[in-house]
Each structure stands twice: as C-alpha cells, then as structure tokens.
Amino acid sequence: MSAILEVKTTVEGFRLWPAALDAQTQADLVDAVLARLGEGPFYRPQTPGGRPFSVKMSNFGPLGWVSDRGGYRYQATHPQTGRAWPDIPPVLLALWDATVGGPRRPDACLVNLYRQGAKMGLHQDKDEADLGAPVLSVSLGDAAMFRIGPAQGGRTTGLKLESGDVCALTGPARLARHGIDRVMEGSSRLIPGGGRLNLTLRVAGLSPR
Ligand code: MD3
Ligand code: FE
C-alpha cells in the first residue's frame, strides 16, 4: 500500500490512501465481486419515501444495508431473493486489518454500482449499532467527485476518488456528511459494462458476547 496521505478537509479523521490497490489487485477484486453477483444480484433500492436510488446495490457479509418503504436497516437476506448475502471477499478483510484494524472486523460490505448518471446525495451513515467503529471504502472503475463536510453541517470539501483509492472514516469523520456528486463516465475500463463500483466495509451489528 502507498504511504498514507492525510487529506486536509474540513473533517478530521478522514484518511485517504490514493492508489492503494495496484492494477492486478483491482482486477482481482472486480472478479471477486462479479463471482458473487449470481448469489447476490444488484438491485435498485427505494428510499423510505418510495423514490428509486440511482445507484444499484448489493451486499456481502452477514449483514447488508437495505432501504425500502419500511426505512433504512441492516438485514441478513437479499430483499429480492430472500437468500443470505455472499461472503465478504477475503482480500477486503485483509485490507481492513492493514488499514483501520481494531477489535472488530466488518460484518457488512455494501456494494454500490454507479452507471450512467448515478449519484448519491449528501447524507450521514448512522444505521450501524456502533458508530465508534470506523468505515473503510474502496473505489473501483470510473473516477468520481466525492463531497465531505462536518456532521453538524457547514463547509464541505470536494475531492476526486479514483480507481484503487481507499479511504477510512474514523473518529470525528465517522458521522461526516458525504456524497457522490458525479461520476466521470468512461474514465476507466476496469468494470465490464463501465461505471464505478464502491465497496464499503462497516461494523453494522451488535458485538457478539
Ligand atoms: C464518510 N457511498 O454507501 S464511499 C454509502 O462512493 C456511501 O458509494 C459513497 O456514502 C460511494 O453510504 C461514498 C466513502 C464513504 C463511505 C462511508 C462514509 C465516506 C464516508 C461514512 C462516514 C463518512
Ligand atoms: Fe455513506
């Protein structure tokens, strides 16, 4: 992994490792994702208000983030197939250990697919049981403009996330407001059919005891 680059935004605790994954690792990771999609296909969730997300989603791991008329939550099964989510690719767990580490490994990996025109509005991630645990995110494929600002609101910072970049949200950044303004379509040829894949690892459930 490349040397850590602490990006200066208005949010402390946002850590970015540009080009952390080399081309081969990126290609292997895309293959690992594609191999799991038969078991856990992409689908388009709806907001609690009934609007479809422009981003297509699936999940890996014991828990998956879903949204529908009933609200946002984590659940163990795919909303359309009723099956358990596929396992988290081991390389992602190794990446977690090598970057944020800590006492608990992630139990949820949200897979976001951005095809033409997809974006994600500013929001906070707060559906997880332990909001003290970090979040780790891997970007693959087309580059995107990411926006992040303090939890309480105020000035946001835009920065480009490119294929192979890894970022962690720790401490005060964990509740930061963030979103994807736009994807630079055609900037990468990594994803079959084009677009951007984002893999986000989270500790979502209660700690077992
Ligand atoms: C900052 N995904 O799925 S990843 C999401 O690129 C989400 O698909 C975006 O936001 C994407 O919820 C951004 C980077 C990211 C992930 C989690 C965060 C940034 C974050 C949690 C807290 C603060
Ligand atoms: Fe988010």
Side-chain angles (χ1 to χ4, degrees):
M1 192 162 359
S2 66
I4 180 161
L5 200 141
E6 192 91 39
V7 171
K8 288 298 160 199
T9 63
T10 48
V11 180
E12 190 178 306
F14 175 76
R15 302 162 70 194
L16 174 65
W17 293 267
L21 308 181
D22 63 23
Q24 188 60 56
T25 306
Q26 293 176 45
D28 291 348
L29 199 41
V30 170
D31 287 346
V33 170
L34 297 180
R36 286 164 172 77
L37 290 177
E39 208 182 316
F42 281 117
Y43 71 103
R44 194 184 293 277
Q46 294 209 343
T47 65
R51 283 172 44 101
F53 280 79
S54 60
V55 179
K56 296 215 274 179
M57 298 183 182
S58 189
N59 289 274
F60 302 147
L63 290 174
W65 186 86
V66 301
S67 174
D68 59 22
R69 285 278 187 181
Y72 304 138
R73 65 191 175 278
Y74 282 90
Q75 65 179 42
T77 55
H78 192 291
Q80 293 185 336
T81 68
R83 296 175 65 186
W85 304 104
D87 67 319
I88 298 177
V91 60
L92 289 176
L93 297 176
L95 186 65
W96 175 277
D97 293 342
T99 52
V100 293
R104 278 189 76 191
R105 273 183 148 183
D107 54 8
C109 176
L110 177 62
V111 188
N112 290 327
L113 176 64
Y114 295 76
R115 286 235 153 106
Q116 56 286 350
K119 51 194 166 59
M120 189 177 288
L122 270 189
H123 65 278
Q124 293 173 289
D125 292 12
K126 45 184 184 185
D127 302 315
E128 298 73 30
D130 177 6
L131 295 174
V135 169
L136 190 71
S137 158
V138 177
S139 292
L140 295 170
D142 286 346
M145 288 307 301
F146 172 70
R147 181 164 294 284
I148 185 167
Q152 316 83 323
R155 192 180 300 273
T156 61
T157 307
L159 65 127
K160 194 170 166 181
L161 290 179
E162 295 183 90
S163 193
D165 290 358
V166 173
C167 66
L169 300 309
T170 65
R174 179 62 182 76
L175 284 173
R177 291 152 56 80
H178 60 281
I180 295 291
D181 287 348
R182 74 182 191 96
V183 174
M184 283 108 148
E185 223 177 291
S187 55
S188 161
R189 300 191 49 183
L190 185 70
I191 313 292
R196 171 174 187 264
L197 261 183
N198 180 264
L199 306 167
T200 301
L201 296 163
R202 300 188 178 89
V203 178
L206 295 165
S207 60
R209 58 145 292 148

